[in-house]
Amino acid sequence: SSGINAEWPLRPGELRNRNKQLHSELAIATGQASDEEVILNAFGASNRKEVSLIRSGISNKDYVISKYDQKVCELIKSYNALCHKTNLKEQKIKQLQTELSQMKNDAAEA
């Protein structure tokens, strides 16, 4: 089995990837590929977001990562602010319920 691997310059995983790429190229060449596949292949991208980043001139991966990291941080900050606001409102509701209970008790005693 080790002799077979020595004869082949490509490993099975590499062969599968190459085969997938050739199938995609064949589909594009014969007009059987979807618009999505053609666009992704033309830009050498793996998804639509990557295509839009490439089209806008943002091809530096470190820059893209920092932009997404910033966006995630902003979302976390927003989430934390909403959680805080929710907690304050829940405390206010408990306070008002306590006051209501006290008023009902006072009214029942009178």
Side-chain angles (χ1 to χ4, degrees), residues 43-109:
F43 285 101
S46 60
N47 59 45
R48 280 288 205 178
K49 285 191 179 223
E50 201 173 317
V51 169
S52 71
L53 291 171
I54 291 169
R55 287 183 62 215
S56 65
I58 304 172
S59 58
N60 183 350
K61 289 189 182 209
D62 291 333
Y63 179 76
V64 172
I65 290 170
S66 69
K67 279 295 194 188
Y68 277 108
D69 187 45
Q70 181 181 358
K71 188 169 237 166
V72 168
C73 288
E74 289 171 1
L75 289 171
I76 290 172
K77 184 178 177 182
S78 175
Y79 171 76
N80 288 337
L82 288 171
C83 286
H84 177 70
K85 196 174 185 179
T86 302
N87 287 336
L88 289 177
K89 290 190 182 276
E90 287 173 350
Q91 288 175 0
K92 182 68 173 176
I93 288 171
K94 284 181 184 177
Q95 177 190 354
L96 292 172
Q97 286 174 337
T98 304
E99 289 177 16
L100 179 62
S101 295
Q102 186 63 41
M103 287 179 175
K104 285 181 180 179
N105 289 342
D106 292 344
E109 291 175 5

Side-chain angles (χ1 to χ4, degrees), residues 11-30:
R11 298 190 184 276
E14 294 169 332
L15 288 172
R16 276 188 222 100
N17 289 339
R18 180 70 180 135
N19 192 27
K20 184 178 177 182
Q21 180 184 1
L22 288 172
H23 275 284
S24 176
E25 290 174 9
L26 178 63
I28 291 169
T30 59

